[in-house]
Amino acid sequence: GSDGYEFIRCDKCLERAVDEYLSDREDHLLITWKNATRMAANALIRERLGHGGPLPDEGEPVLIKKNSEGFLNGEIVECRGFESGPQIDSVRTLWMTVRQGTIERRLLVSIDGGPKDKGGEVFDGQMPWIENWRNYHATLRVKCLPEPVPVTWGYCITAHSVQGSEARRATVFLCRGDERNQNFRKLTTLPTGEQVPALARWTYTAITRSKNRTTMIIGR
């Protein structure tokens, strides 16, 4: 049916999740656990939609990864284009015009992603490596610049980014073996004081984002 909860176990879970999302994009959250899986899903979605560049085209959704300048961590905005921004110590920046609701605003963003030796890649939403923190902060002060905000693709997101969000539909997917990961086995304490495995809390957070329909896909 079009409402309710469905559980799917399949071999190509990432592809299946992307299919579900692309067949019904209106007010639909696509949620996964690992950042690398999220980046792979975003790359596949962009390819299917005909977007090829390393940066978003106009109209693509972008996820804000830090509270700043009236934007909230986890907020999804629409990219409306880029202009070159200043170099701040080792950090390359761009001015991104974004649509937030009906308003267009400029936001200073860092696009290089996290450190390469830790698996970082361009536009992954992680804080870039900063060579000299003192110089970095001095440059921001002298040039009267806001601190650049890390941003990433807004099609597929992690449950961590989506905690305050709600949508008509949510598709949640875990790839084969994710549920056996040791980080998911760790105990976490609920507000009630009860201890549960991290996987249970993560799943609850992810599947309760939808108002009407939740699809849970597990790789086998």
Side-chain angles (χ1 to χ4, degrees), residues 29-83:
L29 289 168
L30 181 60
I31 305 165
T32 192
W33 173 51
K34 279 201 288 217
N35 206 40
T37 309
R38 181 187 70 79
M39 289 295 282
N42 278 306
L44 182 58
I45 290 166
R46 294 191 73 234
E47 185 187 310
R48 295 258 189 99
L49 293 174
H51 300 294
L55 296 177
D57 294 325
E58 269 195 43
E60 286 199 83
V62 170
L63 176 69
I64 306 286
K65 289 294 287 173
K66 191 166 135 240
N67 291 344
S68 171
E69 305 279 294
F71 294 90
L72 294 173
N73 187 359
E75 187 174 350
I76 295 173
V77 294
E78 182 187 327
C79 172
R80 303 300 297 162
F82 291 98
E83 293 162 39

Coordinates of all heavy atoms in Angstrom, one line a residue, residues 29-83:
L29 N 12.4 11.3 2.6 CA 13.7 11.3 3.1 C 14.4 9.9 2.9 O 13.8 8.9 3.1 CB 13.7 11.5 4.7 CG 13.4 12.9 5.1 CD1 13.1 12.9 6.6 CD2 14.5 13.9 4.8
L30 N 15.6 9.9 2.4 CA 16.4 8.7 2.1 C 17.5 8.7 3.2 O 18.3 9.6 3.2 CB 16.9 8.7 0.7 CG 17.8 7.4 0.3 CD1 16.9 6.2 0.4 CD2 18.3 7.6 -1.1
I31 N 17.5 7.7 4.0 CA 18.3 7.7 5.2 C 19.2 6.4 5.3 O 18.7 5.3 5.2 CB 17.5 7.8 6.5 CG1 16.5 9.0 6.5 CG2 18.3 7.8 7.8 CD1 15.4 9.0 7.5
T32 N 20.5 6.6 5.6 CA 21.4 5.5 5.8 C 22.3 5.8 7.0 O 22.1 6.8 7.7 CB 22.1 5.1 4.5 OG1 22.8 3.8 4.8 CG2 23.2 6.1 4.2
W33 N 23.2 4.8 7.3 CA 24.0 5.0 8.5 C 25.4 5.5 8.2 O 25.8 6.5 8.8 CB 24.1 3.6 9.2 CG 25.0 3.5 10.3 CD1 25.1 4.4 11.4 CD2 26.1 2.6 10.5 NE1 26.1 4.1 12.2 CE2 26.7 2.9 11.8 CE3 26.5 1.5 9.9 CZ2 27.8 2.2 12.3 CZ3 27.6 0.8 10.4 CH2 28.2 1.1 11.6
K34 N 26.2 4.8 7.3 CA 27.6 5.2 7.1 C 27.7 6.4 6.1 O 27.0 6.4 5.1 CB 28.3 4.0 6.6 CG 28.7 3.1 7.7 CD 29.9 2.2 7.3 CE 29.5 1.1 6.3 NZ 30.2 -0.2 6.5
N35 N 28.7 7.2 6.4 CA 28.9 8.4 5.5 C 29.3 7.9 4.1 O 28.9 8.5 3.1 CB 30.0 9.3 6.1 CG 29.8 10.7 5.6 OD1 28.7 11.2 5.4 ND2 30.9 11.3 5.3
A36 N 30.1 6.9 4.0 CA 30.6 6.4 2.7 C 29.4 5.8 1.9 O 29.3 6.1 0.6 CB 31.6 5.3 2.9
T37 N 28.5 5.2 2.5 CA 27.3 4.7 1.8 C 26.4 5.8 1.4 O 25.9 5.8 0.3 CB 26.4 3.8 2.8 OG1 27.3 2.8 3.4 CG2 25.3 3.1 2.1
R38 N 26.3 6.8 2.2 CA 25.5 8.0 1.9 C 26.1 8.7 0.6 O 25.4 9.1 -0.3 CB 25.5 9.0 3.1 CG 24.7 10.3 2.8 CD 25.0 11.2 4.0 NE 26.3 11.8 4.0 CZ 26.7 12.8 3.2 NH1 25.9 13.3 2.4 NH2 28.0 13.2 3.3
M39 N 27.4 8.9 0.6 CA 28.1 9.5 -0.5 C 27.8 8.7 -1.8 O 27.6 9.2 -2.9 CB 29.6 9.7 -0.3 CG 29.9 10.8 0.8 SD 29.4 12.4 0.2 CE 30.8 12.8 -0.9
A40 N 27.9 7.3 -1.7 CA 27.7 6.5 -2.9 C 26.3 6.6 -3.4 O 26.0 6.6 -4.6 CB 28.0 5.0 -2.5
A41 N 25.3 6.6 -2.4 CA 23.9 6.8 -2.8 C 23.7 8.1 -3.5 O 23.0 8.2 -4.6 CB 23.0 6.7 -1.6
N42 N 24.2 9.2 -3.0 CA 24.1 10.5 -3.6 C 24.7 10.5 -5.0 O 24.1 11.1 -5.9 CB 24.8 11.6 -2.7 CG 23.8 12.0 -1.6 OD1 22.7 12.4 -1.8 ND2 24.3 12.0 -0.4
A43 N 25.9 9.9 -5.2 CA 26.5 9.8 -6.5 C 25.6 9.1 -7.5 O 25.5 9.6 -8.7 CB 27.9 9.2 -6.4
L44 N 25.0 8.0 -7.1 CA 24.1 7.2 -8.0 C 22.9 8.0 -8.3 O 22.5 8.1 -9.5 CB 23.8 5.9 -7.3 CG 22.9 5.0 -8.1 CD1 23.5 4.6 -9.5 CD2 22.6 3.7 -7.3
I45 N 22.3 8.7 -7.4 CA 21.1 9.5 -7.6 C 21.5 10.7 -8.6 O 20.7 10.9 -9.6 CB 20.6 10.1 -6.3 CG1 20.0 9.0 -5.5 CG2 19.5 11.2 -6.6 CD1 19.7 9.4 -4.0
R46 N 22.6 11.3 -8.4 CA 23.0 12.4 -9.3 C 23.2 11.9 -10.7 O 22.8 12.6 -11.7 CB 24.3 13.1 -8.7 CG 24.1 13.8 -7.4 CD 25.3 14.7 -7.1 NE 25.3 15.9 -7.9 CZ 26.3 16.3 -8.6 NH1 27.4 15.6 -8.7 NH2 26.2 17.4 -9.4
E47 N 23.8 10.8 -10.8 CA 24.1 10.2 -12.1 C 22.7 9.9 -12.8 O 22.5 10.2 -14.0 CB 24.9 8.9 -11.9 CG 25.3 8.2 -13.2 CD 25.9 6.8 -12.9 OE1 26.9 6.8 -12.1 OE2 25.5 5.9 -13.5
R48 N 21.8 9.3 -12.1 CA 20.5 9.0 -12.7 C 19.7 10.2 -13.1 O 18.9 10.2 -14.0 CB 19.6 8.2 -11.6 CG 20.2 6.8 -11.3 CD 19.5 5.7 -12.0 NE 19.9 4.4 -11.4 CZ 19.2 3.7 -10.5 NH1 18.0 4.2 -10.0 NH2 19.6 2.6 -10.1
L49 N 19.9 11.3 -12.3 CA 19.2 12.5 -12.6 C 19.9 13.4 -13.7 O 19.5 14.5 -14.0 CB 19.0 13.4 -11.4 CG 18.0 12.7 -10.3 CD1 18.0 13.6 -9.0 CD2 16.6 12.6 -10.9
G50 N 21.1 12.9 -14.1 CA 21.9 13.6 -15.1 C 22.8 14.8 -14.7 O 23.1 15.7 -15.4
H51 N 23.1 14.7 -13.4 CA 24.1 15.8 -12.8 C 25.5 15.1 -12.8 O 25.6 14.1 -12.1 CB 23.6 16.2 -11.4 CG 22.3 16.8 -11.4 ND1 22.0 18.0 -12.0 CD2 21.1 16.4 -10.8 CE1 20.7 18.3 -11.7 NE2 20.2 17.3 -11.0
G52 N 26.4 15.8 -13.4 CA 27.8 15.2 -13.5 C 28.9 15.9 -12.7 O 29.9 15.3 -12.4
G53 N 28.8 17.2 -12.5 CA 29.9 18.0 -12.0 C 30.2 17.6 -10.5 O 29.4 17.0 -9.8
P54 N 31.4 18.1 -10.1 CA 31.8 17.8 -8.7 C 31.0 18.7 -7.7 O 31.0 18.4 -6.5 CB 33.3 18.2 -8.7 CG 33.5 19.2 -9.8 CD 32.5 18.8 -10.8
L55 N 30.4 19.7 -8.2 CA 29.6 20.6 -7.3 C 28.1 20.6 -7.8 O 27.8 20.2 -8.9 CB 30.1 22.0 -7.3 CG 31.5 22.3 -6.8 CD1 31.9 23.7 -7.0 CD2 31.6 21.9 -5.3
P56 N 27.2 20.9 -6.9 CA 25.8 20.9 -7.2 C 25.4 21.8 -8.4 O 25.9 22.9 -8.4 CB 25.0 21.3 -6.0 CG 26.0 21.4 -4.9 CD 27.4 21.4 -5.5
D57 N 24.5 21.4 -9.2 CA 23.9 22.3 -10.2 C 22.8 23.1 -9.6 O 22.3 22.7 -8.5 CB 23.3 21.4 -11.4 CG 24.4 20.7 -12.2 OD1 25.5 21.3 -12.3 OD2 24.1 19.6 -12.6
E58 N 22.4 24.1 -10.3 CA 21.2 24.9 -9.7 C 20.0 24.0 -9.5 O 19.7 23.2 -10.4 CB 20.9 26.0 -10.7 CG 21.6 27.3 -10.4 CD 21.0 28.5 -11.1 OE1 19.8 28.6 -11.1 OE2 21.8 29.3 -11.6
G59 N 19.4 24.1 -8.4 CA 18.2 23.3 -8.1 C 18.5 22.1 -7.3 O 17.5 21.4 -6.8
E60 N 19.7 21.7 -7.2 CA 20.0 20.4 -6.4 C 19.9 20.7 -4.9 O 20.3 21.8 -4.4 CB 21.4 19.9 -6.7 CG 21.5 19.2 -8.1 CD 22.7 18.3 -8.2 OE1 22.6 17.2 -7.8 OE2 23.7 18.8 -8.8
P61 N 19.5 19.7 -4.1 CA 19.4 19.9 -2.6 C 20.8 19.8 -2.0 O 21.6 18.9 -2.3 CB 18.5 18.7 -2.2 CG 18.7 17.7 -3.2 CD 19.0 18.4 -4.5
V62 N 21.1 20.6 -1.0 CA 22.3 20.7 -0.3 C 22.0 20.6 1.2 O 21.1 21.3 1.7 CB 23.1 22.0 -0.6 CG1 24.3 22.1 0.3 CG2 23.5 21.9 -2.1
L63 N 22.8 19.8 1.9 CA 22.7 19.6 3.3 C 23.7 20.5 4.1 O 24.9 20.4 3.8 CB 22.9 18.1 3.7 CG 22.8 17.7 5.2 CD1 21.4 17.9 5.7 CD2 23.4 16.3 5.3
I64 N 23.2 21.3 5.0 CA 24.0 22.2 5.8 C 24.5 21.3 7.0 O 23.8 20.6 7.7 CB 23.2 23.4 6.4 CG1 22.5 24.1 5.3 CG2 24.1 24.2 7.3 CD1 23.4 25.0 4.4
K65 N 25.9 21.4 7.3 CA 26.4 20.5 8.3 C 26.9 21.2 9.6 O 27.6 20.7 10.4 CB 27.6 19.7 7.7 CG 27.2 18.6 6.7 CD 26.4 17.5 7.4 CE 27.3 16.6 8.2 NZ 26.5 15.6 9.0
K66 N 26.5 22.5 9.7 CA 26.9 23.2 10.9 C 25.9 24.4 11.1 O 25.5 25.0 10.2 CB 28.3 23.7 10.7 CG 29.0 24.3 12.0 CD 30.5 24.4 11.7 CE 30.9 25.7 12.3 NZ 31.5 26.7 11.4
N67 N 25.6 24.7 12.4 CA 24.7 25.8 12.6 C 25.5 27.1 12.3 O 26.7 27.2 12.7 CB 24.4 25.9 14.1 CG 23.4 24.8 14.6 OD1 22.8 24.2 13.7 ND2 23.3 24.6 15.9
S68 N 24.9 28.0 11.5 CA 25.7 29.2 11.1 C 24.8 30.2 10.4 O 24.0 29.8 9.5 CB 26.8 28.9 10.2 OG 27.4 30.0 9.6
E69 N 24.9 31.5 10.8 CA 24.3 32.5 10.0 C 22.8 32.3 9.7 O 22.3 32.5 8.6 CB 25.0 32.7 8.6 CG 26.5 32.9 8.7 CD 26.8 34.4 9.0 OE1 26.6 35.2 8.2 OE2 27.3 34.6 10.1
G70 N 22.0 31.8 10.7 CA 20.6 31.5 10.4 C 20.3 30.2 9.8 O 19.1 29.9 9.4
F71 N 21.3 29.4 9.5 CA 21.1 28.1 9.0 C 21.3 27.0 10.1 O 22.2 27.3 11.0 CB 22.1 27.8 7.9 CG 21.9 28.6 6.6 CD1 22.5 29.8 6.5 CD2 21.0 28.2 5.6 CE1 22.3 30.6 5.4 CE2 20.8 29.0 4.5 CZ 21.5 30.2 4.4
L72 N 20.6 25.9 10.1 CA 20.7 24.9 11.1 C 21.4 23.7 10.6 O 21.2 23.3 9.4 CB 19.3 24.5 11.6 CG 18.6 25.6 12.4 CD1 17.2 25.1 12.7 CD2 19.3 26.0 13.6
N73 N 22.2 23.0 11.4 CA 22.8 21.8 11.1 C 21.7 20.8 10.7 O 20.8 20.6 11.5 CB 23.7 21.3 12.3 CG 24.5 20.0 12.0 OD1 24.4 19.5 10.9 ND2 25.2 19.6 12.9
G74 N 21.8 20.1 9.6 CA 20.8 19.1 9.2 C 19.7 19.7 8.3 O 18.8 19.0 7.8
E75 N 19.8 21.0 8.1 CA 18.8 21.7 7.2 C 19.1 21.4 5.7 O 20.3 21.4 5.3 CB 18.8 23.2 7.5 CG 17.7 24.0 6.8 CD 17.7 25.5 7.2 OE1 18.4 25.8 8.1 OE2 17.0 26.2 6.5
I76 N 18.1 21.2 4.9 CA 18.3 21.0 3.5 C 17.8 22.2 2.7 O 16.7 22.6 2.9 CB 17.6 19.7 3.0 CG1 18.3 18.5 3.6 CG2 17.7 19.6 1.5 CD1 17.5 17.2 3.4
V77 N 18.7 22.8 1.9 CA 18.4 24.0 1.2 C 18.6 23.7 -0.3 O 19.2 22.7 -0.7 CB 19.3 25.2 1.6 CG1 18.9 25.6 3.0 CG2 20.8 24.9 1.5
E78 N 18.2 24.6 -1.2 CA 18.4 24.4 -2.6 C 19.5 25.2 -3.2 O 19.6 26.5 -2.9 CB 17.1 24.8 -3.3 CG 17.1 24.6 -4.8 CD 15.8 25.2 -5.5 OE1 14.7 25.2 -4.8 OE2 15.9 25.6 -6.6
C79 N 20.5 24.6 -3.9 CA 21.6 25.4 -4.5 C 21.1 26.2 -5.6 O 20.4 25.8 -6.5 CB 22.6 24.4 -4.9 SG 24.0 25.2 -5.9
R80 N 21.5 27.5 -5.6 CA 21.1 28.4 -6.7 C 22.4 29.0 -7.4 O 22.3 30.0 -8.2 CB 20.3 29.6 -6.2 CG 19.0 29.2 -5.5 CD 18.1 28.4 -6.3 NE 17.6 29.1 -7.4 CZ 17.0 28.5 -8.5 NH1 16.9 27.2 -8.5 NH2 16.6 29.2 -9.5
G81 N 23.6 28.4 -7.2 CA 24.8 28.8 -7.9 C 25.9 29.2 -7.0 O 25.7 29.3 -5.8
F82 N 27.1 29.3 -7.6 CA 28.3 29.6 -6.8 C 29.1 30.8 -7.4 O 29.0 31.1 -8.6 CB 29.3 28.4 -6.9 CG 28.8 27.2 -6.2 CD1 28.2 26.2 -6.9 CD2 29.0 27.0 -4.8 CE1 27.8 25.0 -6.2 CE2 28.6 25.9 -4.2 CZ 28.0 24.9 -4.9
E83 N 29.8 31.5 -6.5 CA 30.8 32.5 -6.9 C 32.1 32.1 -6.1 O 32.0 31.5 -5.0 CB 30.4 33.9 -6.6 CG 29.2 34.4 -7.4 CD 28.6 35.6 -6.7 OE1 29.4 36.5 -6.1 OE2 27.4 35.7 -6.6

